Amino acid sequence: MDEVFRENNFKNEIIWHYRRWTAGSGAYQKMHDTLLFYSNSQSFKLTPVYIEATEGQKKKHNKGWDRNSVNIDGRRQPQLLVYDQNKVDEAVKKGQINLDEYARVVIVDTGKTIAPDVWNINYINSQAKERTDYPTQKPEALLDRIIRASSNENDIILDAFAGSGTTLAVAEKLGRRWIGIDCGKLAIYTMQKRLLNLKSEIGNKGKKLKPKPFALYHAGLYDFSKLKQLPWKDWRLFALHLFNCRDSKHTVSGIELDGYRGRSDVLVFNYQQDGGVVLDYGFIDDLHAMLGSKVGKQFFIIAPAASVMFLEDYIEKGSVRYYILRIPYSIINELHNRDFEAIKQPIDESQVNDTVDAVGFDFIRTPKVNCKYSIEKPKNQLLEYTTIKISTFKSEAMLKGASQLENRESLSMIMVDFNYDGDIFNLDKVYYASEIEKNGWKVFLPVEGIKGQMMIIYLDIYGNEYREIKRIEDFSNSKQVQAEDK
């Protein structure tokens, strides 16, 4: 935070104190989190937060108080309860107001006082209307205080680790615009459901609130099957942007090149030319013969992996190294001086908020799924359940190490919408892979919970999905269902 905002823009350490039942242990019970309040400059907005004054404060400040003792612009200070930050700041500079005395006036007239740097806000209890069952979910009251204090209506609120979407939900209720970011699919679906089922009051109470239109973007994930259908003009532009290259056509020794990566030349290999061509050693030889020393020490060629006829990431010719950037492929390790690591999805609740410093990009590849759908009564249970038995789950992700994973090792979770409306997936229940494995790779769904049709999403650890739509009658017979890669 000091690096991003600079040390002199650190304003407050705020303690969020809460009470919740915790198990006894050999340490003091953990009942607080820490908020760090930074600004991006010395000029920033902060609207004071008022909380209920204690009876002791009220008695102390009411005793012997002269309401006419402090004025601003010839007005009595109690009128400032219609708060105007600019006028108060100006009055403080001119010595017309003492903030300690101003706080005293507020207590006398309203029974409230300016909040200290310790905030007592209840944790979310198990029966709260706002509860989403997302690990580490924060209460709306906490974000309500932060957003009100730090922004105006129509300002943009950014939450780069959006989780259950509390920030976005509260921002929507307070008339702010918002941007939420998260690398977890569970977080994305939790947020989507929450925003589509908002209530107008903090704590998710009151009347239903229809959110303003919003969009869901998948950054760094691409549908390879659709990419192959792109016309050459669009493919070329996609390839350049994928590897952060500048689109700048230029010519060297009569050869038309497509752009630059840094200061190095870039060629997008036209695999569609003449009905389909390949990039082999001969192509590199011919290219070097024409370019030779007229290019720098490195030259980049972007090409589909299937069109490249050799395995090396680069070919050296004289003083020039020709790098091959394959699609689909992670950006090669040497360019980053570290191994590529994909963002991974959790297999149990404890991993939901684990983060990884990922490099590169990935392509959407539907997992291979083989399941048996039936109705059975689990041991020691009185009721029957619709049951999914996973016999095969295999990720098709084109990432380092993915193909070496054993059967079902790449499963992250199964998410279910028990009343799918045919349009938007509305997450009702999540089953983590660790839990499914303990149950013999079975998922038990309550029969009474299925209303009409339901959608089942099978998610691999790389974020790829396979989706099924099922009705209760699909579970009537013990039958094997093969989920095809579509």
Side-chain angles (χ1 to χ4, degrees):
M1 294 292 283
D2 283 345
E3 285 183 21
V4 173
F5 295 105
R6 298 186 180 181
E7 292 180 32
N8 61 314
N9 286 324
F10 171 67
K11 304 303 177 186
N12 273 99
E13 178 186 44
I14 299 168
I15 301 301
W16 167 36
H17 178 258
Y18 44 79
R19 292 187 178 275
R20 61 177 177 178
W21 293 107
T22 56
S25 66
Y28 294 107
Q29 295 189 39
K30 295 178 175 64
M31 290 193 175
H32 85 274
D33 281 329
T34 302
L35 308 177
L36 300 180
F37 170 29
Y38 282 77
S39 63
N40 63 353
S41 71
Q42 291 300 309
S43 176
F44 63 96
K45 174 180 176 56
L46 179 64
T47 300
V49 173
Y50 297 103
I51 61 173
E52 193 69 28
T54 65
E55 289 303 315
Q57 287 174 319
K58 292 175 184 178
K59 289 179 181 178
K60 176 183 176 182
H61 290 300
N62 270 298
K63 186 177 180 181
W65 172 244
D66 180 3
R67 289 174 170 271
N68 300 316
S69 62
V70 181
N71 295 281
I72 296 180
D73 296 338
R75 294 182 297 164
R76 292 179 180 178
Q77 190 162 335
Q79 293 175 352
L80 280 178
L81 294 178
V82 180
Y83 198 88
D84 188 323
Q85 180 68 56
N86 293 329
K87 289 183 179 179
V88 171
D89 290 342
E90 184 180 348
V92 170
K93 289 179 181 178
K94 292 179 179 179
Q96 295 174 318
I97 183 173
N98 180 296
L99 285 180
D100 291 334
E101 294 299 307
Y102 175 64
R104 187 176 180 184
V105 174
V106 173
I107 293 173
V108 171
D109 273 42
T110 68
K112 295 183 180 295
T113 184
I114 295 175
D117 59 3
V118 176
W119 295 356
N120 292 294
I121 297 175
N122 290 335
Y123 208 79
I124 302 171
N125 66 60
S126 60
Q127 303 303 314
K129 292 182 181 296
E130 64 183 284
R131 189 175 182 89
T132 66
D133 290 327
Y134 187 90
T136 70
Q137 179 188 352
K138 303 299 184 292
E140 290 191 0
L142 177 65
L143 274 301
D144 177 67
R145 180 173 293 188
I146 293 171
I147 292 172
R148 285 182 187 275
S150 307
S151 65
N152 293 316
E153 285 193 19
N154 294 318
D155 283 351
I156 299 176
I157 308 297
L158 170 67
D159 189 341
F161 302 90
S164 68
T166 302
T167 300
L168 315 187
V170 174
E172 183 71 28
K173 295 177 187 185
L174 297 180
R176 274 66 165 173
R177 294 175 292 162
W178 48 262
I179 300 170
I181 304 169
D182 207 287
C183 60
K185 280 292 184 74
L186 175 60
I188 297 300
Y189 287 125
T190 300
M191 283 185 268
Q192 178 174 274
K193 176 173 184 174
R194 189 168 186 176
L195 290 164
L196 293 173
N197 294 274
L198 286 178
K199 297 293 180 64
S200 59
E201 297 176 17
I202 298 302
N204 214 37
K205 303 172 184 176
K207 297 179 180 179
K208 185 174 177 61
L209 175 65
K210 184 178 180 181
K212 295 182 179 66
F214 63 90
L216 174 61
Y217 292 93
H218 291 281
L221 282 175
Y222 306 97
D223 189 330
F224 190 60
S225 61
K226 291 183 178 179
L227 284 176
K228 291 190 292 186
Q229 301 170 11
L230 288 176
W232 169 248
K233 179 181 176 183
D234 294 332
W235 168 271
R236 173 189 168 277
L237 192 61
F238 165 78
L240 288 169
H241 288 173
L242 191 62
F243 290 98
N244 294 321
C245 302
R246 297 199 312 279
D247 180 8
S248 179
K249 287 187 177 182
H250 60 286
T251 302
V252 177
S253 294
I255 297 179
E256 186 177 276
L257 304 179
D258 294 280
Y260 298 93
R261 192 173 192 274
R263 296 183 178 181
S264 301
D265 295 291
V266 176
L267 170 69
V268 180
F269 181 72
N270 190 350
Y271 71 99
Q272 299 176 1
Q273 189 175 359
D274 300 326
V277 293
V278 296
L279 198 168
D280 54 15
Y281 290 122
F283 180 88
I284 302 295
D285 289 339
D286 293 342
L287 188 63
H288 183 69
M290 300 184 71
L291 297 178
S293 60
K294 296 178 183 177
V295 293
K297 292 184 178 180
Q298 56 184 16
F299 186 96
F300 294 97
I301 304 172
I302 306 174
S307 300
V308 182
M309 296 294 103
F310 48 83
L311 298 177
E312 298 98 311
D313 283 334
Y314 60 84
I315 303 292
E316 285 189 312
K317 292 290 180 181
S319 62
V320 184
R321 180 173 285 184
Y322 293 89
Y323 285 98
I324 313 302
L325 304 180
R326 292 171 170 84
I327 302 176
Y329 194 63
S330 62
I331 300 176
I332 59 178
N333 299 336
E334 183 174 328
L335 300 181
H336 292 272
N337 298 315
R338 56 183 171 146
D339 287 342
F340 170 78
E341 188 172 4
I343 292 173
K344 291 187 178 180
Q345 307 298 313
I347 63 169
D348 63 43
E349 188 176 86
S350 66
Q351 297 179 359
V352 165
N353 281 332
D354 288 351
T355 58
V356 63
D357 189 11
V359 178
F361 50 86
D362 196 6
F363 290 84
I364 298 169
R365 299 277 290 180
T366 306
K368 286 186 177 179
V369 183
N370 194 334
C371 295
K372 181 180 179 182
Y373 297 90
S374 61
I375 294 179
E376 64 177 75
K377 185 188 295 183
K379 290 182 180 179
N380 304 320
Q381 294 288 329
L382 297 176
L383 301 176
E384 288 187 327
Y385 286 82
T386 52
T387 306
I388 303 172
K389 173 67 182 292
I390 304 170
S391 55
T392 304
F393 186 92
K394 193 75 175 172
S395 174
E396 295 288 281
M398 290 181 273
L399 294 166
K400 183 179 179 181
S403 60
Q404 277 72 52
L405 293 174
E406 297 294 329
N407 181 33
R408 297 182 291 226
E409 280 189 350
S410 56
L411 177 64
S412 168
M413 66 184 73
I414 292 177
M415 295 177 282
V416 183
D417 177 354
F418 289 111
N419 190 22
Y420 178 56
D421 65 3
D423 184 22
I424 297 173
F425 179 79
N426 219 339
L427 175 64
D428 287 317
K429 182 72 174 175
V430 59
Y431 301 87
Y432 295 100
S434 58
E435 171 192 353
I436 298 170
E437 183 179 9
K438 289 177 182 176
N439 289 330
W441 296 106
K442 289 183 178 181
V443 177
F444 299 104
L445 309 175
V447 173
E448 65 274 11
I450 302 173
K451 302 171 183 177
Q453 62 182 9
M454 66 176 178
M455 176 173 278
I456 308 165
I457 296 181
Y458 301 83
L459 186 74
D460 74 13
I461 59 174
Y462 305 109
N464 295 294
E465 302 176 4
Y466 174 77
R467 298 184 172 202
E468 288 265 26
I469 295 177
K470 294 291 179 184
R471 296 179 176 275
I472 189 67
E473 51 264 31
D474 295 321
F475 291 80
S476 299
N477 301 315
S478 275
K479 60 182 179 180
Q480 195 79 3
V481 179
Q482 178 72 40
E484 300 292 344
D485 184 357
K486 298 179 181 177

